[in-house]
Amino acid sequence: MKVFAHRGFSGKYPENTMLAYRKAIEAKADGIELDIHESSDGKLVIIHDEKLVRTTGRDGVVSDYTLKELTSTRASHTFDDAYDVTIPSFEEYCDFASKGSFVTNVEIKTNNIWYQDIERKAVEMIRSFGLEDRIIFSSFNWISVMRAKQIAPEIECGFLYCDNKHIHLAGQAREAGIQYIHPDFKLLDDGIVADCREHGIGVNVWTINEESHMRQLIKWDVNAAITNYPDMCLRLLGR
Ligand code: G3P
Ligand code: MG
């Protein structure tokens, strides 16, 4: 089982910052999960919420600000502004990833705001750094997933979901040319794991922060656990 650091090593460092990504890789995580949005001037930035307030203390939403404004905005508000870190651009991240060998799960945050052509922009950036074979796209918005797959058939994709309507998703994913499902842990059971195995669909599960959940995933031998605590998961795996 692989270990993906959710928003970087977000259990110990400010989420979705270069510091949290670097620390995840130093801890020997196999991959990093991150969330992309678009600035007012149409550039890709990494942050979880549409609203800036929780992670930066600023008013407004991501698309109110330019790339320059966002990348000079401190992003450690969840840690009482203790770290001198800012919102990363997706370009800065891709440059970092191009120097390593880890996987990146790029979650396209189009579930609330539909950014114009965000999938194509992400693919262009990924291709410009030669990262195609180390990316997994996912989104709660499955039209975004299908658009990414259509634009870049060579890049792996997963259907992300958080409700229980998708019991027979593995067969549909296979038919759609999608490689993974990304369920919330509480929706996964023996039947879904077996169905995915039968259809050749990988399972990447979020957000796994409890030891008992990690142990269950190891037993199921899923493709990846997406966790805020990659160190804990790696320890359980004996790595
Ligand atoms: O991609 C897994 C997980 O990140 C999905 O939920 O809200 O943490 O982006 P969220
Ligand atoms: Mg996410």
Side-chain angles (χ1 to χ4, degrees), residues 18 25 33 47 58 127 172 178 238:
M18 293 310 300
I25 298 310
E33 188 268 356
I47 182 168
R58 283 186 94 159
R127 283 183 177 154
Q172 292 169 24
I178 298 301

Side-chain angles (χ1 to χ4, degrees), residues 163-229:
D163 57 40
N164 61 4
K165 293 178 199 148
H166 308 298
I167 298 302
H168 303 295
L169 188 55
Q172 292 169 24
R174 192 185 165 90
E175 266 178 43
I178 298 301
Q179 290 69 32
Y180 300 99
I181 62 165
H182 288 220
D184 183 336
F185 176 81
K186 65 177 182 285
L187 301 176
L188 202 56
D189 59 30
D190 292 341
I192 296 175
V193 171
D195 194 35
C196 285
R197 191 150 292 136
E198 194 178 311
H199 287 90
I201 295 296
V203 184
N204 298 320
V205 193
W206 55 281
T207 302
I208 313 304
N209 296 328
E210 287 176 34
E211 232 181 85
S212 61
H213 295 175
M214 291 173 186
R215 289 188 194 283
Q216 179 60 60
L217 291 190
I218 293 168
K219 217 153 120 195
W220 274 328
D221 193 26
V222 298
N223 183 65
I226 304 174
T227 172
N228 296 352
Y229 299 97

Side-chain angles (χ1 to χ4, degrees), residues 3 7 22 61 72 75 94 105 113 119 135 140-142 162 179 196 223-226 228 236:
V3 177
R7 311 179 196 174
R22 270 200 308 277
V61 295
S72 52
C94 288
N105 174 198
I113 296 177
E119 301 85 6
I135 298 286
F140 287 109
N141 179 343
W142 293 0
C162 59
Q179 290 69 32
C196 285
N223 183 65
I226 304 174
N228 296 352
L236 291 181

Side-chain angles (χ1 to χ4, degrees), residues 6-7 16 33-35 48 105 107 109 138 140 160:
H6 182 240
R7 311 179 196 174
N16 279 327
E33 188 268 356
L34 54 80
D35 310 281
H48 181 269
N105 174 198
E107 185 189 339
K109 278 286 182 206
S138 65
F140 287 109
L160 184 53

